[in-house]
Amino acid sequence: MTVRKWVLLGAWMVSLIVISFFGGKLSYGFFFAVTLLPLICILYLVAVTLCFRIYQNIESKTVVAGQPVEYYFVLQNEMPFAFSGLQVRMFSDLFEVEDVPDSKEYELLPGENYRFDTKLFCKYRGEYEVGVKAVIVTDFLHLFRWKYTLPSTIKATVSPRVVTLPELQSMASLPNSNSGRSLKGDSEPDVVVREYIRGDSLKRVHWKATAKTGEMKVRRTVDEERQGVRIYFFGKRYREEQELYLPLENRILEIVLAVASTLNQKSIPLRVDYGTETGPVSVTVHDRSDFEELYRRMDEYYFRSNLPEDGPTDFLKDCFTEPPKVIFMVLAELTESILEGTERLSEEGVGVVIYLVKQGGFTDVRGLNRERRKIIPVGTEENLETIL
């Protein structure tokens, strides 16, 4: 296009020289033709921009990340002259559309329309615009082009996907130890009772509760009352640009849901802790309905830039009060207080897994691993099935 502009400018300068030295109808005709040609091209661009129509639709505006949905767009020429050089431009890399070539130019005869049916994949959880963002209009001589931004676009609400794994490799890699308060197999029984299960020792039968209820009751152990696994994520937003914070936040929630779903499938009780503007929140998961409630909360959760920095430290302090068996932490940053707190917990027998989510390059964290503390780097685009 730049070459054509230079050719047109050269022709205009030649016509100016010709009329200056020779004059004549032919010279003036050539001069006016070359001079008016750019104006005609610009008027053509204005006419196309004002008169052409584009329609687009998505099967559902509420979708799950990674799942395909039907999508189409239609270019329509409703004018008595042909349209030439139309190109569509999609929104950012937050989603993918199958088989749409960005460089393709569409030409429409009078009254003609072009429909493109395809599938659209939203990559990240969140709410953002998808589909065609703008149309590039080029004149018939390819001298000028401008971008026409659509006044009405499609905004999709994307829920996080759930990945259920056959096994959590990170948890399996922790050593099984009987030392430490949180990993004891036997504890002194307390006065909290439960239903008798075949195989329970008769020494644990609570005869008063049995006589009162008429059903066999046994004492619960402290270990049974203690929460088996705790999952923590820090919901702080570190970036302002949507293209930067959405992949990071999406991956954090994906890891939380993947760990929780896998443990829930194995009937392992767990508790998910996270921070909000009003303070820390916990969700206990014992069965599938509890997990569905957790998913609903994660779907509605919004990361905030104003969360207090000591959120992870406060969580670790709480874990010292009632140490769980295993802690999963999903973080975007590691601090000295986090490393110190998790190391102390691991020394007391608590298994600690830290998923460090990063977008881009990683620093080597292998030197920070301990016998019962594993730090696992996770990229925003990596396959969770091979990492967790």
Side-chain angles (χ1 to χ4, degrees), residues 66-123:
Q67 292 188 3
V69 291
E70 300 293 332
Y71 167 76
Y72 72 84
F73 67 84
V74 179
L75 299 175
Q76 177 73 42
N77 181 357
E78 298 179 352
M79 296 302 293
F81 57 88
F83 290 169
S84 174
L86 299 178
Q87 293 178 291
V88 296
R89 289 289 183 268
M90 298 289 177
F91 278 97
S92 60
D93 296 332
L94 301 178
F95 66 95
E96 294 180 356
V97 179
E98 287 185 346
D99 306 324
V100 177
D102 277 346
S103 58
K104 181 177 180 179
E105 290 192 355
Y106 302 94
E107 297 183 0
L108 300 175
L109 296 175
E112 186 181 19
N113 68 68
Y114 175 84
R115 175 171 174 143
F116 190 90
D117 290 274
T118 183
K119 293 183 184 295
L120 184 147
F121 301 80
C122 292
K123 298 168 66 175

Side-chain angles (χ1 to χ4, degrees), residues 121-167:
F121 301 80
C122 292
K123 298 168 66 175
Y124 310 114
R125 172 261 189 188
E127 189 176 48
Y128 45 89
E129 293 172 304
V130 298
V132 177
K133 174 184 181 181
V135 176
I136 306 299
V137 183
T138 307
D139 67 272
F140 50 87
L141 292 181
H142 285 240
L143 293 174
F144 306 104
R145 65 165 57 186
W146 65 41
K147 182 170 71 173
Y148 170 71
T149 302
L150 272 62
S152 178
T153 57
I154 299 174
K155 180 170 286 188
T157 302
V158 187
S159 300
R161 66 175 181 145
V162 179
V163 179
T164 302
L165 309 172
E167 183 181 18

Side-chain angles (χ1 to χ4, degrees), residues 20-296:
S20 299
F21 287 95
F22 301 101
K25 294 181 179 180
L26 185 60
S27 300
Y28 277 100
F30 179 64
F31 169 76
F32 284 116
V34 176
T35 303
L36 293 175
L37 191 57
L39 180 60
I40 295 173
C41 292
I42 292 174
L43 291 175
Y44 169 82
L45 294 180
V46 173
V48 172
T49 303
L50 294 176
C51 299
F52 93 97
R53 298 289 181 267
I54 179 169
Y55 308 96
Q56 60 177 335
N57 190 43
I58 189 172
E59 181 182 22
S60 173
K61 294 182 181 179
T62 303
V63 299
V64 177
Q67 292 188 3
V69 291
E70 300 293 332
Y71 167 76
Y72 72 84
F73 67 84
V74 179
L75 299 175
Q76 177 73 42
N77 181 357
E78 298 179 352
M79 296 302 293
F81 57 88
F83 290 169
S84 174
L86 299 178
Q87 293 178 291
V88 296
R89 289 289 183 268
M90 298 289 177
F91 278 97
S92 60
D93 296 332
L94 301 178
F95 66 95
E96 294 180 356
V97 179
E98 287 185 346
D99 306 324
V100 177
D102 277 346
S103 58
K104 181 177 180 179
E105 290 192 355
Y106 302 94
E107 297 183 0
L108 300 175
L109 296 175
E112 186 181 19
N113 68 68
Y114 175 84
R115 175 171 174 143
F116 190 90
D117 290 274
T118 183
K119 293 183 184 295
L120 184 147
F121 301 80
C122 292
K123 298 168 66 175
Y124 310 114
R125 172 261 189 188
E127 189 176 48
Y128 45 89
E129 293 172 304
V130 298
V132 177
K133 174 184 181 181
V135 176
I136 306 299
V137 183
T138 307
D139 67 272
F140 50 87
L141 292 181
H142 285 240
L143 293 174
F144 306 104
R145 65 165 57 186
W146 65 41
K147 182 170 71 173
Y148 170 71
T149 302
L150 272 62
S152 178
T153 57
I154 299 174
K155 180 170 286 188
T157 302
V158 187
S159 300
R161 66 175 181 145
V162 179
V163 179
T164 302
L165 309 172
E167 183 181 18
L168 284 174
Q169 302 176 25
S170 53
M171 187 174 179
S173 66
L174 295 173
N176 294 320
S177 172
N178 291 323
S179 63
R181 290 177 295 170
S182 64
L183 297 179
K184 289 181 180 179
D186 297 306
S187 306
E188 290 298 320
D190 56 26
V191 294
V192 181
V193 296
R194 60 168 171 80
E195 296 290 335
Y196 173 82
I197 299 176
R198 184 176 180 180
D200 286 335
S201 172
L202 293 178
K203 295 179 180 180
R204 293 175 56 192
V205 174
H206 195 288
W207 296 111
K208 289 184 179 180
T210 300
K212 185 176 181 180
T213 62
E215 297 179 356
M216 187 75 79
K217 301 288 184 180
V218 297
R219 296 179 176 87
R220 284 185 181 271
T221 64
V222 173
D223 189 58
E224 288 175 332
E225 285 296 297
R226 180 175 296 148
Q227 182 70 42
V229 176
R230 290 182 71 173
I231 304 172
Y232 175 82
F233 74 92
F234 191 32
K236 187 175 180 63
R237 177 165 293 175
Y238 295 96
R239 303 289 185 89
E240 295 298 327
E241 301 83 359
Q242 192 177 52
E243 289 77 8
L244 296 178
Y245 71 70
L246 274 181
L248 190 70
E249 296 172 5
N250 173 76
R251 181 43 52 98
I252 288 174
L253 293 182
E254 278 188 347
I255 294 174
V256 172
L257 291 172
V259 174
S261 177
T262 302
L263 295 176
N264 183 246
Q265 291 284 351
K266 297 179 180 295
S267 300
I268 298 176
L270 60 101
R271 174 175 149 187
V272 179
D273 299 87
Y274 56 95
T276 66
E277 290 178 300
T278 57
V281 175
S282 298
V283 182
T284 302
V285 179
H286 288 288
D287 51 33
R288 200 61 191 174
S289 63
D290 291 338
F291 178 80
E292 291 172 358
E293 172 63 17
L294 172 67
Y295 182 86
R296 184 189 66 80

Side-chain angles (χ1 to χ4, degrees), residues 199 230 298 303 309:
R230 290 182 71 173
M298 296 298 98
F303 288 68
E309 295 288 346

